Amino acid sequence: MTTKLVLVFAIFCLLVTVGFTLDPIELRRLGFEGHLSVDPSDLKAASSDFGGVNTAEPVAVLFPASAEDIAKLVKAAYESAQGFSVSARGHGHSTNGQAQTANGVVVQMSGSRGSRVGSGKPALPKVSEKLMFVDVWGGELWIDVLTSTLEHGLAPKSWTDYLYLSVGGTLSNAGISGQAFNYGPQISNVYELDVVTGKGELLTCSGELNPELFHAVLGGLGQFGIITRVRIALEPAPQRVRWIRVLYSNFSAFTHDQEYLISLSGQPATGKFDYIEGSVIVDEGLINNWRSSFFSPRNPVKISSVTVDGGFLYSLEITKNYNQSNADTIDQEVEDLLKKLNFIPAKIFTTDLSYVDFLDRVHKNELKLRSKGLWEVPHPWLNLFVPKSRIADFDNGVFKGILGKKTSGPILIYPMNKNKWNDRNSVVTPNEEVFYVVSFLRSALENGGEAQKLEYLTNQNRLILRFCYEARINIKQYLPHYTTQQEWMDHFGDKWAQFQQSKMEFDPRRILATGQQIFKPSFDTHTASW
């Protein structure tokens, strides 16, 4: 009996150190608390994403019950002579296969099975009211973070427009929305992380503890570790939101007013708005869109109802947060701010709603689109950071040029204050004190018109990028997608040397997040045998 146990142990050690040359089910010998699946339905789900363009089927999917499960998996990949890749997947909202891996293992961070707490999650959010923070699992969705913190009258400071995204997923990029001019992106509002590195080490890091790992991971596109726990800064949650939308036909006035409003970020709460986002409205498109239910469907507003020069309107959305205790002053605060803006007179649209309903505004329209089969379609999105000094050139060349009054989804445009971003983090932005987020959030419909087809929209994205290159507009991609390392080197610029050094330190075998196509793994994923 003893001899047999020794033999089994020797085979197990051989599998770990030499490489898994048998069936992937042999991975289960690592003793996961969670569930390692080779079920075809799980593999199929992990092989696709929101973008609906790229597919890559993994060999297995791990539903972790703990951070230790992830550490075991990554350590096995790191120590295996043959090697295999590991990619963390949250809600699957990436658009170019960034969370996918062929012939590797996907770690399904959101909606994990077989967890310790019996809630489909390895850990529940833990709120500290005294210290104003919450600790959450890396795969937690932001909507669930909000729900948990509101029980204590608190909420995170910075958001994304869509709350059904994982915490680890948005922090691997930056996490932006209309509050970022004031609080910075979500990565600027994190105190501490637990991270499984590419060596299989589970480390705690912060600005003081393992700071190199902390700053590398924030905005690091999953290259240095898998985020398993996050400590997020909180503030007292408002009860209500005054939501205002005004319209512009003049681009210069539109950008001037946005830049003025974000310059007020250092003012007291009464002297500034809490959320600022702009958008471009093309041709006969509804001023309303899938991002919000701002206007009544029975009373839509079209461009044709407004005198517009050139067929373009620009919409500015702004909000003021308030509580019942100061509801009597909100009207005057809003009026004082609006009177300094130069929007089209008599085109002010206002509504009041709860704080939760405002933050969760996109999800309500997602449900409507799902019911019509219009949500799970290809999404050839393009997100850019454009320097303030060239935003007028971008408007002329792209909005009024390449688009040709045709679009199939929202186009966002709003400014950021660079001083709200920590330059030590991995994410890169234009080298100007103010830069714009420009997001083309299009949906491809093969049964629609030519301008709605995937090929047309993908080619339009290429034309936009080419225009910026030829016009020497030094853009940076947000949620970046490149296919060569030289392109990635150009993207990171002065940060590339540090980025590469961090990769060698924390993921030397280049196991993690191979779907980003930044580094080639130290093994050939196309010939690896299980």
Side-chain angles (χ1 to χ4, degrees):
M1 181 67 178
T2 301
T3 303
K4 185 178 293 185
L5 288 174
V6 171
L7 180 61
V8 169
F9 179 74
I11 293 172
F12 169 75
C13 292
L14 185 66
L15 286 170
V16 172
T17 58
V18 175
F20 293 95
T21 57
L22 301 175
D23 190 278
I25 293 176
E26 293 294 331
L27 279 169
R28 290 175 178 164
R29 293 176 182 257
L30 293 172
F32 299 117
E33 293 181 85
H35 176 65
L36 185 78
S37 176
V38 293
D39 186 288
S41 63
D42 289 331
L43 300 183
K44 182 179 179 181
S47 70
S48 60
D49 60 20
F50 180 72
V53 177
N54 298 319
T55 59
E57 186 166 299
V59 174
V61 178
L62 175 64
F63 296 87
S66 63
E68 289 75 16
D69 272 354
I70 300 171
K72 287 179 183 178
L73 175 69
V74 177
K75 188 175 180 64
Y78 174 66
E79 295 183 345
S80 167
Q82 191 172 56
F84 57 90
S85 56
V86 178
S87 285
R89 184 179 191 270
H91 197 54
H93 207 75
S94 55
T95 56
N96 287 287
Q98 289 94 333
Q100 297 169 12
T101 180
N103 300 318
V105 180
V106 167
V107 181
Q108 185 59 56
M109 297 294 292
S110 302
S112 300
R113 298 191 228 160
S115 67
R116 288 174 170 172
V117 298
S119 64
K121 303 171 186 177
L124 294 175
K126 295 181 180 179
V127 176
S128 171
E129 293 185 31
K130 181 179 179 180
L131 299 178
M132 302 280 280
F133 67 72
V134 59
D135 285 329
V136 303
W137 171 248
E140 194 80 53
L141 300 185
W142 284 101
I143 182 65
D144 296 322
V145 176
L146 176 63
T147 300
S148 298
T149 58
L150 283 177
E151 293 178 2
H152 303 268
L154 302 171
K157 301 176 181 180
S158 191
W159 293 98
T160 60
D161 285 329
Y162 180 57
L163 301 188
Y164 287 76
L165 304 174
S166 69
V167 171
T170 64
L171 296 183
S172 294
N173 290 281
I176 56 175
S177 185
Q179 303 88 1
F181 81 95
N182 199 28
Y183 291 112
Q186 290 179 314
I187 56 174
S188 294
N189 295 276
V190 171
Y191 293 142
E192 190 175 272
L193 303 171
D194 283 349
V195 176
V196 175
T197 71
K199 299 177 183 179
E201 300 170 317
L202 178 56
L203 301 176
T204 298
C205 57
S206 66
E208 293 74 39
L209 179 65
N210 297 315
E212 295 82 6
L213 178 62
F214 180 72
H215 292 295
V217 167
L218 294 174
L221 306 176
Q223 293 302 300
F224 314 110
I226 296 175
I227 299 170
T228 60
R229 180 186 63 89
V230 182
R231 179 164 291 180
I232 303 166
L234 302 177
E235 66 175 356
Q239 297 170 329
R240 304 285 296 173
V241 171
R242 171 71 53 84
W243 189 8
I244 305 150
R245 186 173 293 186
V246 293
L247 302 177
Y248 295 77
S249 59
N250 182 278
F251 185 74
S252 179
F254 171 66
T255 54
H256 175 274
D257 282 359
Q258 287 200 85
E259 290 164 18
Y260 165 71
L261 291 176
I262 72 166
S263 74
L264 302 176
S265 63
Q267 297 297 314
T270 56
K272 62 185 176 184
F273 285 113
D274 296 292
Y275 165 97
I276 298 168
E277 278 197 14
S279 60
V280 181
I281 306 164
V282 180
D283 202 21
E284 286 298 306
L286 293 180
I287 290 175
N288 195 22
N289 57 52
W290 61 259
R291 292 182 60 252
S292 70
S293 52
F294 189 90
F295 297 102
S296 167
R298 291 171 295 189
N299 186 32
V301 180
K302 289 190 174 184
I303 286 183
S304 57
S305 67
V306 183
T307 301
V308 182
D309 180 18
F312 283 81
L313 273 180
Y314 306 95
S315 171
L316 176 59
E317 293 183 48
I318 41 188
T319 71
K320 282 286 289 183
N321 300 335
Y322 66 98
N323 299 312
Q324 293 304 126
S325 60
N326 66 329
D328 57 338
T329 65
I330 192 70
D331 290 343
Q332 188 61 52
E333 290 175 17
V334 169
E335 182 180 341
D336 290 344
L337 286 165
L338 288 180
K339 68 183 181 182
K340 297 179 181 179
L341 306 183
N342 296 295
F343 50 85
I344 299 174
K347 291 297 179 182
I348 304 177
F349 307 90
T350 304
T351 188
D352 283 65
L353 69 171
S354 73
Y355 184 60
V356 174
D357 285 344
F358 172 72
L359 291 180
D360 200 30
R361 60 199 179 280
V362 173
H363 181 58
K364 294 180 180 180
N365 285 275
E366 174 196 345
L367 297 177
K368 295 176 184 177
L369 291 175
R370 282 189 182 278
S371 68
K372 299 175 182 178
L374 297 176
W375 183 260
E376 294 182 356
V377 299
H379 295 94
W381 286 10
L382 179 64
N383 298 274
L384 306 174
F385 290 153
V386 181
K388 167 190 167 181
S389 64
R390 302 300 303 277
I391 197 64
D393 297 327
F394 191 94
D395 172 59
N396 288 322
V398 177
F399 301 148
K400 296 185 174 76
I402 293 172
L403 290 188
K405 300 183 182 180
K406 294 179 181 179
T407 188
S408 63
I411 303 171
L412 307 185
I413 171 172
Y414 57 98
M416 299 274 188
N417 289 313
K418 189 178 179 70
N419 62 9
K420 301 295 183 179
W421 295 62
N422 189 333
D423 195 52
R424 294 184 66 188
N425 296 336
S426 289
V427 67
V428 290
T429 62
N431 190 27
E432 292 190 9
E433 288 307 306
V434 172
F435 61 91
Y436 278 80
V437 178
V438 181
S439 297
F440 300 87
L441 309 180
R442 284 92 74 83
S443 301
L445 304 174
E446 290 308 306
N447 59 350
E450 178 190 359
Q452 294 178 310
K453 294 187 181 300
L454 178 60
E455 182 179 2
Y456 180 92
L457 295 173
T458 301
N459 183 61
Q460 197 172 73
N461 286 345
R462 285 194 289 264
L463 292 175
I464 292 169
L465 293 173
R466 183 189 304 168
F467 166 78
C468 292
Y469 175 78
E470 293 177 351
R472 297 185 179 182
I473 301 176
N474 295 320
I475 60 166
K476 294 294 182 183
Q477 284 194 36
Y478 178 61
L479 310 177
H481 172 62
Y482 302 103
T483 57
T484 69
Q485 191 171 84
Q486 183 59 53
E487 290 175 314
W488 283 110
M489 292 171 67
D490 293 340
H491 170 76
F492 283 104
D494 293 342
K495 286 191 174 184
W496 173 252
Q498 180 60 52
F499 194 86
Q500 189 175 41
Q501 180 179 331
S502 296
K503 185 68 171 179
M504 293 306 298
E505 180 178 355
F506 300 116
D507 183 23
R509 293 201 65 188
R510 304 177 293 283
I511 290 166
L512 301 175
T514 55
Q516 294 278 7
Q517 301 183 60
I518 303 176
F519 300 97
K520 291 184 179 180
S522 61
F523 50 87
D524 189 339
T525 57
H526 297 289
T527 61
S529 170
W530 285 82

